[in-house]
Structures are given as C-alpha cells and as structure tokens.
C-alpha cells in the first residue's frame, strides 16, 4: 500500500446531523424511479411508455450518443408516470412496484469463467446488463467510452464527504464481493487503484489485499480525481476511469448472480432528518420513504451537501447518489448578524469564536452573506485539493481565456465545491469552473 | 427588532422594481443589510456556505483599527493641549481630540459614501463593504490640522480615481485610502509635507483653531549632521525609542503609536484577515535595508545611514502602513511567495526613500503605492512558475 498525503482540503466533521453507523432496512417503497435528467451529458431515448410493464433490469432508456449504453429499470411493475421538464427533458420515469417483482435474466459469470473471458465479451455483458454507466471517465465525469482502454481505473470508497455512507457499513460482510468486483475491473485495464482513508483501520484490515493506496487528508482526499492528481506521472493518465465503491459491489453482484442488482446503502443525515442513520434500500427510492413526515422549510439534497442536487420532497434518489441530507433552508434575517461573536457559526476562517467550539455545529442553506466582487483573499487556493488557483482560474474562465484556464488545471478540477464554500464574497467559483469544463467538453468533443 | 424589521418591510415596496425610488435600491439594500443579515439561500451546490462574508471581514478590520483610532483621538487632543498650554490630562485631551478628529472622519465617510452610492446607483450594483475600511483608514493617515475641504477632495480622489473608475472594489489595483492621501500630499504640500508636523493650537483670543508646527522624527533624523549621533539627536528632540514606540508624540492621527499598530497587526493575523507574510516580510525588509545602510555608513556619508534599523520600525507611519494598508488583499498580490517579496520590498523601499531621498522624508505611502503597482507582476511571475510544474491536462 502506498501512502498519499493530501495537504489541502477541509474537514466537515464538526457539522451537526452526522448519520449513525447502524443500518436499518426499511420496507419496500410503493414506487421507484429513474432520473435521466440527473445523469450528466447523456441524451436519453425512451424505450418504454406509460402503462408498460417492466421487470427489474428491463431497458428504460438508452443514450442516443451510443445506444449500446443502456439504463435499466430499478424495479418491477408498471410505468406509472414519465415526467418531463422544460424543453422536454426527461425528469423522472416512475415505476409502480408490483407485489412480486419479475427479474430480467442475464448470464452469470463464475470466478473461474471471469479469469478466462475476453475483455470484449466482458464489456458486452456489462453493456447488455445496463451496468456500464456505473463506470465513469475523467476528466469530464461522463460515462466511460466502451471502445476505449483506460490507462487506469480508480475505485473510491468515499466517506470523507460529510453525510456520505461509511465504507464499513456498506462493505459489511461483502468483502468477497468487493474482491470479485476488483477482479472484474482488472479485466478492463491493467492498473486498478483503490484508495482508503488512513483513519479507518477496520476497512484497511478487511480489504487489505484490494487497497493500493492509503491517503491521509481532509475532504475530498477520497475523491478518485484527487488520487489521480497526486499519483499521475504523465498526462497520458488523465483519461483514466473511476467507479464508486458501492458500484463495484453492484458490478460484482450482477456478474455473480446474473440479476440486475438494485440494493443501495443510503446515508440519511442533516439536522432536519427524522432518523440519522444508514438505510439499506434500493436504487431510485422515493426520498420521503427514507425521511417520512418532514415538514417546514427543509431542503432535501441528494448526493451530498457539497456536490449533490436539491430535490423536491416528493423526488427520488438518482442512479449515482447514495445520500440524502436534510438541512433547514433558514431564510431568516438576523439582527446585526455580522457583528455577533458567532460561537455557533461553522466557518473555515478564524473570524468567529466558533474556532474554539469543538462540538457539532448546526449548518443551514443560508448563503451567509451576499454576492460581492472577489477580493483575492486566496481562501479558495488554500483548500483546493488539486492545487488549482481558483481565484485566478475563474477569472480566466470569465474572460474567455480558454487556453489559460486549461493551463491553470481546469480539467483537474474534481468539482468538490470547497472553493465556493469558503468564498467570503460568495462567488460561485465551483459552478463557474464546472460549467466551463462542460462547455469545453461539448465544444471539442474530445473524450 | 420587530419594529426595525417592519420598518424595512414597509419601505421595501418603494425601492423594488416598479417602486418610485427603484433607482436607489442599492442604498436601501446597504442600509437593510447593515441591520439584518440577508435571508438569501444557496441556489446551486454546494448547498451550505461558510459563515464568513465580506461584511464580517471588513468589520474585523475596523475592530482592529479601534486601538490606533482611540489613541489617535487622545493623542491629537493631548498634543494640542500641550502646545496651547492647557491640561494634558486624559479627559480634557480626549474631548479636545474628539473635536479635532471626528470632523475629519465624518467628512471622509460622508463624502466617500456619496461617491459609493452614486456609482452603485448608476452601475446598478450593491454597495461594497470595502469603503467602511477606506473611509476610516483615510482620516487616520492625515495630520490633525488638515482643512476639512482638503480631506473631502482627498477622499473623493481616492474613491473615484483610486477605485471606482477601475470598476469598484475588487478591481482597483491601488489602495484607495493611500491614493487619496497621495493626492493631498502632492497637491497641497503646505499642509502635509512629512518634514514638519502640525498640531492644532487653540488660539486664546479669537477661539479659532490655529496651528503650531514642529519637526517630525524623520526630519530630525535626516538633518543630523554628525556621524553616529542620529539617535542622540532624536532623543534631544524628545523622540526617544520608547516615546516613538508608545506613540505620545505629534504626527498623523493614527500613525504615532507603533505599539497599538502591533496589537492591531497581531489581531488581524490571528483572525486570518491580514496576511502574516506581508507584515513579517515588511518588518524584515525594514531591518535588512536599515542594516545594509548601516554597513554603508562612514564618517563622510549621510549620518542618517547609521541609524539603528529598529528606529525605522517605530518612526513615521511604517507600523500603521504595513498593518492596515499593505495588507489590503485587493491591491496586494494573491500568491504566497509574492506576498513575502511584496512585504519585504515595501519595508526596504520605505527605508531607502526615507534615508536616501531628501525630497521625501517619509516613504511608507510611496513604497506601498509603488508595490501595489507591481503586485500583479509578482503574481504573474509566481503563477507562471507554478503552472509550469503541473502535468498538463487538456
């Protein structure tokens, strides 16, 4: 195991509402959904209509850019609704679950057969079973190109972001499955790297043979992009692929059983959540199923408070998201807010007395200020895990200096959101960089 | 609290789109956010944001300015009472000081905010908090006898030419308060030349303020004629090291006490508002330049060359300038090494200007403005060097 030290980043450990490590299995929800809108870059083509009956693992839609990339139904039953948004973007495909859900059948692959199978055949199996979209490619974080062979695949166990599922919970009793998943990835490329946090000795002990890198550092040290940035030797490695730890389990389960896997361990947290713990549930579960009876001004975020999206109360969890966080919106006005000592105001800076407060502090969705011009304080550069100088890079982007922003490492950006978080002028640095990346991708068509 | 809230809520309709004072919305916004933290919530990820905002940032600078401000008020009154033959006790001196300093501060804020409001209304953007600091820094750099109309002209120049014509806070490359001071310095040298300092003197007969002028420590040091006797000459003129350090001597309002500026500097560095690289770099710059001049000093050279470098730290406005002016993040460089260089050069240039240039007894203002101009270049060099080390990703 190689030790990696990530010096920059920021730990959100002192924010109240962390999910407990125990896991609960809630009952079966009435509906599940697939959310094509939340899968970046794809152009979905529907393959079902309202009223069709589907099995777990039947095709719901495919990507028009490459129809071989298909997305499967996370439930068996009947298509209840297909909801469109502005410009006919497909927002949700809702499936009403039947009592006994039918399973689509795929070929299983024993561990021995896996060793002998050719790479092309394996790729075809994964594409066929709708598992391919779980593998993503740097630097744009689009779904990997099935025709390419990546220089490396990074596996991220991912728990450094606040309120994400802890690896010891979702890996509990699945050590062999994880090992099998890593073998699948090794078929796809020679170099498979898996990183684990040094402060998590249980996981390190359990998965000893499958972990290649141990990192020390604060959020987002666990991000595969950060790992790539810290170990890459040449620019040929920039087009590596990555996959999340839970998705490795899905891959393994799929090939082992020949059934489309839908199990998901979801962390539910945040001060407004009724039960702050892990739930072993399924892909596409309704948010209200995990956090019932929440009223008032509460924001549901799916996929993390830093990178996730805000969902409505009656929304669903997407394919990639594994956490639901409920935080108060807090649109309150505070008298002389700027002059208060701020013993309970979480902050990266040392400008509040909360610096001395070690207990967990409540966070909310207030912007804590107003948009102002950048004053070049440099806080963003202090936290950027991949050494971008966000305060200069975002100005390059706004000035349309594409070349210069690329030199600044725009494509190394892991979209962690820390730069926007710490900014005292409330500049949307991360959004600006993210949009510039996506625009560059769409314009050049490079993969 | 409810009453204030209701007042703003009832007045809001006049200022929003379609209201009769729609154009003046920035003024309403600035006043309201002074009382209430705004209720805006995040619209895109990340969904949570840091509690620090610019209002907090700037109010902490103002907090750190309080020690030099209060001492400046007391000292201006005390010096005035001393030369007018009145009681130098604390209360009479402080009230006298208030009557000298407050008009300058009020003029600075009123005139400055007028320009800020005007530009905000015309450009339709919100009023930035940066001016709260500029408006207080500026009068503290002035001699107490400056006529109010000159202060008004100076702050106007600082805000309009130093900041607003470049696009407002965040886009200015010069420190606005120092730009304003530099303007008065060159336009009206009779009132602030740097070699004499003016103390307000109460004229017994007419009751109108008159003035008395005396040499500043820098001028005393510059005209010493015997080698190695500069410290003695300073002591003879009443400027011992400890007087200069504690600050009970005539000078510009905020600059006299190096001790209180040091407290401000420590506070700002602890809070993470001011860059310790700039401040420490500046002190190192002064000491090494002073030491270098010491090495060059001979019997035949300028006696000022042989002055103990520590004196440069406490004389004139260096302590005030390096703490509050040089650390303005907008006009300082953003890169870490560049900050060291920037601070170091401010310190050493200050000493070189003081000692080697007979035209300007004081060098802090000029060296900070000079380095403000070079800050983008320092950043550029460091960024280029840093980017060269990255593994290209295109």
């Amino acid at each position: 195991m190689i030790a990696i030290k990530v010096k920059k980043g920021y730990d959100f450990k002192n924010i109240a509402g962390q999910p407990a490590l125990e896991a609960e299995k809630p009952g079966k929800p009435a509906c599940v959904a697939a959310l094509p809108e939340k899968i970046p870059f794809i152009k979905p083509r529907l393959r079902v209509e309202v009223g069709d009956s589907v099995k777990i693992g039947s095709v719901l839609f495919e990507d028009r850019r490459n129809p071989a990339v298909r997305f499967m139904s996370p439930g068996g039953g009947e298509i209840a609704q297909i909801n469109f948004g502005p410009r006919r973007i497909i927002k949700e495909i809702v499936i009403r679950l039947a009592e006994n859900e039918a399973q689509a059948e795929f070929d299983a692959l024993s561990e021995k057969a896996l060793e002998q199978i050719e790479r092309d055949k394996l790729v075809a199996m994964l594409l066929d079973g709708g598992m391919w979209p779980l593998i993503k490619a740097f630097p744009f974080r689009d779904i990997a190109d099935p025709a390419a062979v990546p220089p490396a695949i990074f596996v991220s166990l991912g728990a450094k972001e606040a309120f994400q599922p802890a690896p010891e919970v979702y890996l509990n009793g699945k050590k062999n499955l994880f090992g099998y998943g890593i073998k699948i990835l090794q078929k796809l490329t020679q170099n498979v790297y898996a990183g684990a946090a040094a402060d998590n000795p249980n996981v390190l002990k359990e998965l000893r043979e499958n972990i290649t890198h141990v990192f020390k550092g604060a959020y987002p040290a666990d991000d595969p992009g950060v790992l790539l940035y810290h170990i890459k030797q040449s620019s040929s490695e920039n087009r590596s692929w990555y996959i999340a730890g839970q998705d490795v389990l899905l891959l393994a389960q799929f090939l082992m059983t020949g059934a489309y896997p839908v199990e998901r361990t979801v962390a539910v947290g945040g001060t407004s959540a009724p039960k702050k713990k892990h739930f072993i549930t399924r892909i596409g579960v309704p948010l209200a199923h995990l956090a019932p009876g929440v009223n008032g001004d509460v924001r549901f975020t799916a996929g993390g408070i830093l990178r996730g999206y805000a969902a409505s109360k009656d929304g669903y969890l997407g394919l990639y998201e594994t956490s639901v966080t409920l935080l108060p919106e807090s649109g309150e006005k505070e008298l002389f807010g700027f002059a208060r000592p701020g013993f309970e105001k979480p902050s990266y800076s040392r400008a509040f007395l909360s610096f001395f407060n070690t207990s967990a502090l409540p966070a909310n969705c207030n912007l804590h200020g107003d948009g102002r011009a950048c004053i070049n304080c440099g806080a963003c550069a202090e936290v950027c895990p991949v050494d971008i100088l966000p305060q200069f890079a975002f100005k390059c982007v706004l000035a349309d200096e594409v070349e210069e922003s690329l030199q600044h490492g725009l494509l190394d950006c892991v979209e962690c959101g820390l730069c926007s978080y710490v900014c005292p002028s409330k500049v949307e640095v991360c959004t600006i960089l993210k949009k510039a990346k996506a625009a560059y991708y769409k314009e050049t068509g490079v993969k | 609290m409810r009453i204030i809230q209701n007042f703003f809520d009832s007045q809001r309709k006049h200022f929003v789109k379609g209201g009769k004072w729609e154009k003046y919305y920035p003024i309403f916004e600035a006043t309201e956010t002074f009382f209430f933290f705004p209720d805006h919530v995040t619209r895109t990820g990340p969904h949570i944001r840091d509690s620090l905002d610019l209002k907090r940032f700037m109010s902490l600078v103002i907090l750190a300015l309080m020690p030099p401000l209060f001492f400046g008020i007391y000292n201006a009154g005390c010096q005035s009472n001393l030369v007018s033959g009145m009681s130098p006790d604390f209360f009479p001196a402080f009230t006298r000081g208030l009557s000298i300093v407050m008009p300058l501060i009020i003029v600075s804020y009123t005139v400055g905010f007028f320009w800020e409001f005007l530009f905000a209304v015309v450009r339709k953007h919100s009023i930035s908090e940066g001016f709260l600091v500029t408006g207080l820094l500026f009068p503290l750099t002035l001699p107490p006898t400056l006529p109010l109309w000159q202060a008004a002209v100076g702050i106007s120049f600082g805000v309009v030419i130093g900041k607003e014509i470049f696009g407002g806070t965040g886009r200015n490359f010069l420190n606005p308060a120092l730009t304003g001071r530099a303007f008065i310095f060159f336009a009206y040298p009779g009132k602030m030349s740097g070699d004499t300092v003016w103390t307000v003197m109460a004229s017994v007969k007419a009751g109108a303020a008159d003035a008395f002028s005396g040499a500043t420590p820098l001028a005393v040091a510059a005209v010493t004629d015997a080698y190695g006797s500069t410290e003695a000459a300073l002591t003879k003129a009443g400027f011992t090291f400890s007087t200069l350090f504690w600050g009970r001597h005539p000078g510009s309002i905020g600059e006299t006490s190096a001790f209180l500026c040091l407290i401000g500097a420590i506070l700002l560095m602890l809070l993470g508002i001011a860059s310790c690289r700039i401040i420490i770099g500046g002190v190192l710059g002064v000491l090494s330049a002073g030491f270098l001049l010491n090495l060059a000093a001979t019997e035949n050279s300028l006696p000022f060359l042989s002055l103990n470098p520590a004196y440069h730290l406490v004389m004139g406005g260096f302590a005030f300038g390096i703490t509050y002016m040089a650390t303005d993040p907008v006009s300082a460089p953003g890169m870490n090494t560049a900050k060291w260089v920037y601070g170091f050069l401010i310190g050493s240039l200050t000493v070189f200007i003081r000692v080697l240039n007979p035209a300007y007894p004081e060098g802090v203002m000029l060296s900070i403005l000079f380095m403000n101009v070079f800050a983008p270049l320092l950043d550029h060099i460091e960024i280029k060097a840093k980017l060269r080390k990255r593994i290209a990703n295109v």
Side-chain angles (χ1 to χ4, degrees):
Chain A
M1 281 185 274
I2 303 164
I4 302 278
K5 198 165 178 197
V6 182
K7 283 185 196 147
K8 296 183 189 171
Y10 180 53
D11 239 329
F12 284 93
K13 266 184 186 148
N14 67 340
I15 287 187
Q18 296 289 346
L21 284 184
E22 60 183 302
E24 179 187 315
K25 275 193 178 159
K28 185 170 155 179
C31 299
V32 292
L35 313 175
E37 187 200 8
K38 300 299 181 197
I39 302 172
F41 301 115
I42 62 159
K43 293 189 172 140
R45 180 191 291 138
L46 276 175
R47 297 276 301 272
V48 286
E49 284 172 17
V50 175
D52 285 1
S53 68
V54 287
K55 299 174 182 175
I56 295 178
S58 343
V59 184
L60 285 184
F61 58 97
E62 61 194 21
D63 187 359
R64 270 193 284 170
R65 300 176 304 166
N66 181 359
V69 177
R70 309 191 298 177
F71 297 83
M72 305 313 206
S73 169
E78 190 194 351
I79 306 283
Q81 292 164 22
I82 298 180
N83 299 327
F84 294 93
R87 294 198 284 171
R88 284 193 66 76
I89 191 166
I90 309 166
K91 290 180 80 149
E92 299 167 335
I93 304 169
V94 183
I95 301 132
R96 190 180 304 119
L97 296 183
E99 192 77 16
N100 293 310
E101 297 173 59
Q103 278 274 7
E105 279 174 29
F106 300 96
D107 294 334
L109 203 63
S110 70
E111 212 157 322
K112 211 173 222 171
L114 176 69
E115 271 164 35
Q116 270 132 38
I117 195 169
E118 285 163 36
R119 186 180 185 275
D120 293 351
K121 264 194 188 152
L122 180 68
V123 172
M125 280 177 86
L126 294 177
L127 279 168
D128 242 17
M131 302 309 289
W132 193 259
L134 297 178
I135 305 172
K136 293 203 172 183
F138 288 117
F140 302 106
R141 307 201 165 219
D142 192 4
I143 294 162
D145 177 13
V149 179
I153 298 181
F154 290 85
V155 178
S156 134
L157 296 178
K160 281 278 172 181
E161 184 172 349
F163 310 116
Q164 293 292 320
E168 56 264 49
V169 176
Y170 69 76
L171 286 170
N172 187 14
K174 291 182 176 159
K175 188 185 156 188
N176 291 336
L177 207 57
F178 187 79
Y180 185 61
I182 295 287
K183 286 209 178 84
I184 299 171
L185 297 176
Q186 276 161 349
K187 268 277 164 192
L188 295 175
T189 182
Q190 279 185 338
N191 306 314
V192 176
Y193 302 125
D199 53 7
N200 204 335
N202 289 339
V203 174
L204 283 182
K205 217 166 88 187
E206 278 277 296
L207 304 176
R208 177 173 289 275
E209 64 267 38
N210 291 317
I211 301 290
T212 55
H213 293 83
V214 182
F215 56 79
K216 261 190 196 152
Y219 168 79
D222 64 319
D223 188 278
V226 178
L227 191 55
L228 166 67
Y229 174 78
H230 283 274
I231 67 174
K232 73 179 173 187
Q233 304 287 331
S234 74
S235 26
S236 64
E237 289 166 69
N238 284 327
R239 264 51 180 177
S240 295
W241 293 356
Y242 71 95
I243 182 169
Q246 279 212 50
D247 295 344
V248 176
L249 296 180
L250 293 184
L251 275 190
Q253 217 176 340
F254 170 75
L255 285 186
M256 243 178 191
T257 60
Y260 185 77
V262 293
E263 191 187 283
R264 264 281 188 239
T265 303
V266 178
V268 179
T271 37
S272 304
K275 284 183 192 167
K276 299 173 203 45
K277 53 162 96 165
H278 289 70
F279 288 90
I280 299 175
T281 174
R282 53 196 286 171
I283 294 173
V285 67
L287 301 182
H289 187 68
L290 300 177
V294 175
N295 287 313
D297 235 0
V298 171
R299 182 178 300 189
F300 284 69
T301 53
I305 42 177
L306 288 148
R307 308 189 192 201
Y309 55 85
S312 77
K313 210 162 106 179
D314 33 47
Y316 300 85
L317 206 59
L319 173 62
Y320 300 109
E321 283 72 29
T322 54
S323 76
V324 180
T325 316
L326 289 82
L327 291 175
E329 286 276 1
S330 193
E332 259 173 43
K333 296 186 173 183
E334 195 186 2
L335 189 64
F336 294 123
F338 69 92
R340 299 195 172 197
F343 198 64
E344 290 220 312
K345 290 184 172 180
S347 177
Y348 165 75
S349 69
R350 302 192 291 262
F352 295 91
L353 282 182
S354 62
F355 184 68
F356 300 104
N357 191 350
T358 47
S359 55
L361 304 174
N364 57 37
C365 299
N366 195 306
L367 196 55
H368 299 297
D370 252 331
R372 292 286 186 260
C374 168
I375 56 159
N376 205 12
C377 66
C380 44
E382 279 168 32
V383 291
C384 181
V386 291
D387 302 324
I388 297 176
L389 302 165
Q391 79 270 41
F392 294 104
F394 96 87
K395 287 172 191 162
C396 297
V397 169
L398 294 184
D400 277 335
E401 294 283 355
V402 182
E403 290 293 322
E404 207 174 332
S405 61
L406 290 173
Q407 275 175 16
H408 268 274
L410 177 70
L411 299 190
D412 285 332
C413 171
V414 296
E415 302 167 18
C416 65
L418 280 180
C419 45
S420 298
Y421 174 80
V422 297
C423 182
S425 294
K426 314 296 166 188
V427 180
E428 300 285 353
V429 189
C430 185
T431 312
I432 293 170
L433 297 183
K434 228 158 110 176
K435 278 190 178 159
K437 259 174 92 174
Y440 177 71
Y441 183 38
K442 280 175 190 159
E443 200 160 289
T444 55
V446 221
K447 283 208 173 165
Chain B
M1 176 183 166
R2 262 300 355 136
I3 302 170
I4 313 173
Q5 171 94 63
N6 288 343
F7 172 75
F8 280 114
D9 287 346
S10 66
Q11 297 304 310
R12 185 185 312 276
K13 61 177 185 286
H14 302 305
F15 292 95
V16 293
K17 230 178 164 96
K20 52 182 167 180
W21 297 317
E22 178 194 327
K23 271 200 228 156
Y24 304 110
Y25 180 73
I27 300 175
F28 175 78
E29 196 254 352
T31 325
E32 194 196 7
T33 55
F34 176 76
F35 284 101
F36 291 101
F37 219 77
D39 55 353
H40 306 164
V41 293
T42 53
R43 298 200 180 281
T44 56
H47 298 279
I48 57 169
R49 296 300 165 90
D50 199 286
S51 304
L52 180 69
D53 73 332
L54 272 201
K55 249 194 196 66
R56 177 81 181 184
F57 196 96
M58 297 303 174
S59 357
L60 288 174
V61 181
I62 294 198
L63 180 74
L65 265 174
M66 287 298 124
L69 170 68
F70 282 110
F71 181 77
I73 291 174
Y74 160 72
N75 189 46
C78 179
Q79 299 301 333
S80 161
N81 280 0
L82 275 177
V83 297
S84 328
M86 282 148 69
S87 158
D89 290 343
F90 180 77
F91 279 105
F94 194 79
T95 41
R96 178 95 183 104
L98 275 180
S99 71
I100 298 169
V101 177
M102 282 321 279
L104 281 171
I105 294 180
I106 291 169
V107 164
S108 163
Y109 268 130
T110 321
V111 176
F113 266 119
F114 164 75
W115 291 111
E116 284 280 324
F117 283 147
L118 184 70
F119 275 91
V121 166
V122 172
R123 291 222 183 99
K124 297 185 180 61
H125 65 64
S126 40
I127 293 162
S128 174
E129 289 79 7
F131 182 71
L132 289 174
V133 175
T134 311
L136 186 58
L137 274 178
F138 176 71
L140 289 184
T141 62
L142 301 177
T145 48
L146 195 80
L148 295 181
W149 67 270
Q150 285 184 8
V153 172
I155 191 71
S156 301
F157 188 88
V159 169
V160 177
I161 307 292
K163 184 165 83 170
E164 290 297 346
I165 60 164
F166 296 105
T169 303
R171 300 186 177 92
N172 54 307
F173 63 92
L174 293 176
N175 184 317
L178 274 188
T179 313
R181 189 186 196 274
F183 179 76
I184 315 181
F185 181 81
F186 288 110
Y188 309 105
K191 285 292 172 190
M192 49 189 304
S193 57
D195 51 1
T196 54
V197 68
W198 303 75
T199 308
V200 181
M201 194 167 159
S203 172
V204 190
K205 275 182 204 159
D210 207 344
F212 159 86
S213 74
T216 61
L218 288 164
V220 173
V223 297
T224 320
D225 39 14
Y227 171 74
S229 66
T230 321
E231 288 94 341
L234 278 171
T235 312
K236 207 175 138 201
F239 301 114
T240 60
F241 187 84
S242 74
T243 328
L244 290 169
F245 180 72
W246 297 108
R248 278 194 57 173
H249 60 90
S252 293
I253 297 166
E255 69 167 20
T256 55
S257 173
F259 169 69
L260 292 173
C261 293
L262 180 69
I263 291 193
I266 290 172
L267 183 67
L268 285 178
M269 288 192 281
L270 284 181
L271 291 169
I273 302 288
S275 161
C276 49
R277 297 183 176 88
I278 295 176
I279 297 179
I280 298 171
V283 172
L284 291 178
V286 165
L287 293 179
S288 41
F291 185 65
L292 199 72
L293 292 179
N294 282 179
L295 291 180
T298 59
E299 295 278 352
N300 306 321
S301 65
L302 209 58
F304 199 176
L305 260 60
S306 63
L307 181 69
N308 182 348
Y311 271 81
H312 281 292
L313 294 176
V314 294
M315 281 200 299
F318 174 75
F320 190 79
I322 199 75
T323 306
Y324 300 104
M325 301 290 198
T327 53
D328 165 21
V330 180
S331 50
M335 307 295 295
N336 289 346
T337 317
K339 280 181 187 164
W340 281 112
V341 177
Y342 170 84
F344 187 86
L345 288 180
I346 286 180
S348 44
L349 276 175
T350 301
V351 174
F352 290 137
I353 295 175
R354 279 177 182 176
V355 178
L356 301 180
N357 190 338
Y360 303 115
E362 175 57 300
V364 187
M365 173 184 79
L366 296 171
S367 64
I368 293 178
L369 286 173
F370 190 71
M371 288 315 296
N372 278 170
V373 178
F374 276 92
L377 181 67
L378 295 177
D379 266 347
H380 181 80
I381 294 169
E382 191 181 348
I383 290 173
K384 277 273 155 336
K386 221 171 167 182
L387 295 189
R388 206 167 293 136
K389 282 188 212 143
R390 285 191 90 90
I391 297 171
N393 190 355
V394 285

